[in-house]
């Protein structure tokens, strides 16, 4: 609100960041009407910001577990591998797969299977480091992205993950006996300053996972890239 008038002043005010312009002397009814318009505009902008946050969350998270999804995981992994290439820190991942998960769905139904997936997601998140990224990779597979983790560290992390699942049975629904669930884990670690794509490190972890399955399940196997 200003005593200045004229198109030049209006143009300067709006170009300077003002959302509206009213000159003195003013009519009270006009001022109130303009304030109402401003309030409506602010509410619309706030609603748009909230909608954008929700859309971003839907695009990057798994709706069942609330974990990050594969799309977001690949973005994070690309970033961490690029940092590892330019720096002195290794990057590791751990791919976990629920053992005999198909039996859960076949015998108890998908509702029980969903409950198992949620509980496992919670337990894995609880043992991950605060700067790790836990992802629902797809189906019954989970991927943990671990920046600054070497061969010994990723092994320790993976063993914590495995133990957190086998430590206690999972309740699926009232009246059903708790399920003893285990996971198999394959890890892969990239040495510092080694150029590796996200697809390569994930494929290496996947191969190690199959080795863990073939070893009898409920176990951890690992691969290392760029080490001599």
């Amino acid at each position: 609100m200003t005593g200045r008038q004229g198109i030049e002043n209006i143009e300067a005010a709006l170009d300077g960041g003002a959302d509206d312009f009213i000159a003195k002397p003013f009519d009270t009814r006009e001022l109130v009407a303009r304030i109402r318009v401003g309030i409506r505009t602010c509410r619309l902008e706030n609603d748009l910001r909230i909608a954008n946050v929700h859309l971003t969350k839907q695009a990057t998270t798994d709706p069942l577990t609330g974990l990050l999804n594969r799309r977001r995981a690949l973005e994070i992994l690309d970033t961490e591998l690029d940092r590892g290439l330019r720096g002195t820190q290794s990057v590791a991942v751990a791919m976990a797969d629920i053992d005999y998960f198909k039996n859960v769905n076949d015998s108890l139904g998908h509702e029980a299977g969903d409950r198992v997936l949620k509980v496992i997601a919670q337990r894995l998140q609880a043992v991950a480091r605060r700067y790790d990224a836990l992802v629902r990779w797809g189906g019954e597979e989970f991927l943990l992205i671990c920046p600054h983790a070497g061969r010994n560290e990723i092994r320790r992390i993976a063993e914590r993950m495995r133990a957190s699942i086998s430590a206690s049975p999972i309740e699926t629904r009232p009246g059903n006996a708790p399920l003893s669930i285990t996971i198999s884990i394959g890890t892969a670690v990239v040495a510092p300053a080694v150029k590796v794509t996200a697809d390569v490190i994930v494929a290496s972890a996947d191969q190690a996972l199959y080795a863990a399955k073939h070893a009898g399940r409920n176990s951890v196997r690992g691969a290392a890239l760029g080490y001599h």
Side-chain angles (χ1 to χ4, degrees):
M1 186 185 301
T2 177
R4 298 182 180 182
Q5 300 186 24
I7 188 64
E8 295 83 1
N9 290 319
I10 295 175
E11 183 180 13
L14 296 177
D15 286 345
D19 293 315
D20 204 350
F21 184 103
I22 187 168
K24 301 176 183 177
F26 61 87
D27 184 283
T28 302
R29 292 171 299 175
E30 179 186 4
L31 175 61
V32 171
R34 288 178 180 272
I35 290 173
R36 289 197 187 106
V37 170
I39 291 172
R40 286 201 302 272
T41 301
C42 288
R43 285 174 176 167
L44 288 171
E45 290 176 349
N46 187 58
D47 290 344
L48 181 60
R49 281 194 294 270
I50 293 173
N52 285 335
V53 169
H54 288 164
L55 287 173
T56 300
K57 184 175 182 181
Q58 290 174 1
T60 59
T61 59
D62 170 57
L64 177 65
T65 62
L67 300 178
L68 298 175
N69 62 18
R70 182 184 295 202
R71 173 185 173 183
R72 180 61 181 136
L74 290 173
E75 294 174 350
I76 294 172
L77 194 49
D78 282 338
T79 298
E80 295 300 340
L81 288 171
D82 185 58
R83 287 175 179 165
L85 180 62
R86 293 182 285 109
T88 59
Q89 298 294 333
S90 55
V91 179
V93 299
M95 180 73 80
D97 182 87
I98 304 173
D99 296 329
Y100 303 111
F101 182 69
K102 186 176 183 298
N103 294 344
V104 177
N105 283 331
D106 290 346
S107 61
L108 298 176
H110 288 280
E111 183 179 348
D114 287 351
R115 171 63 179 165
V116 169
L117 289 169
K118 290 178 181 178
V119 172
I120 286 181
Q122 292 168 359
R123 291 186 183 180
L124 294 180
Q125 190 74 76
V127 298
R129 302 174 305 175
R130 61 180 181 82
Y131 45 86
D132 293 337
L134 182 62
V135 179
R136 185 181 178 196
W137 190 249
E140 64 268 30
E141 288 187 329
F142 298 85
L143 182 73
L144 187 68
I145 302 172
C146 304
H148 316 303
R151 287 175 288 184
N152 293 333
E153 179 67 8
I154 190 60
R155 177 77 187 197
R156 286 192 292 267
I157 294 169
E159 286 293 351
R160 287 202 304 267
M161 294 168 65
R162 186 195 61 76
S164 73
I165 305 306
S166 61
S168 59
I170 296 176
E171 299 276 356
T172 56
R173 67 177 63 173
N176 284 356
L179 296 177
S180 294
I181 300 291
T182 61
I183 60 173
S184 299
I185 302 174
T187 68
V189 55
V190 179
V194 172
K195 185 174 179 59
V196 170
T197 66
D199 288 342
V200 168
I201 188 174
V202 170
S204 297
D206 209 36
Q207 291 174 2
L209 169 62
Y210 279 107
K213 292 283 189 182
H214 292 155
R217 296 178 169 82
N218 190 26
S219 61
V220 177
R221 294 293 184 273
L225 304 173
Y227 287 92
H228 301 292

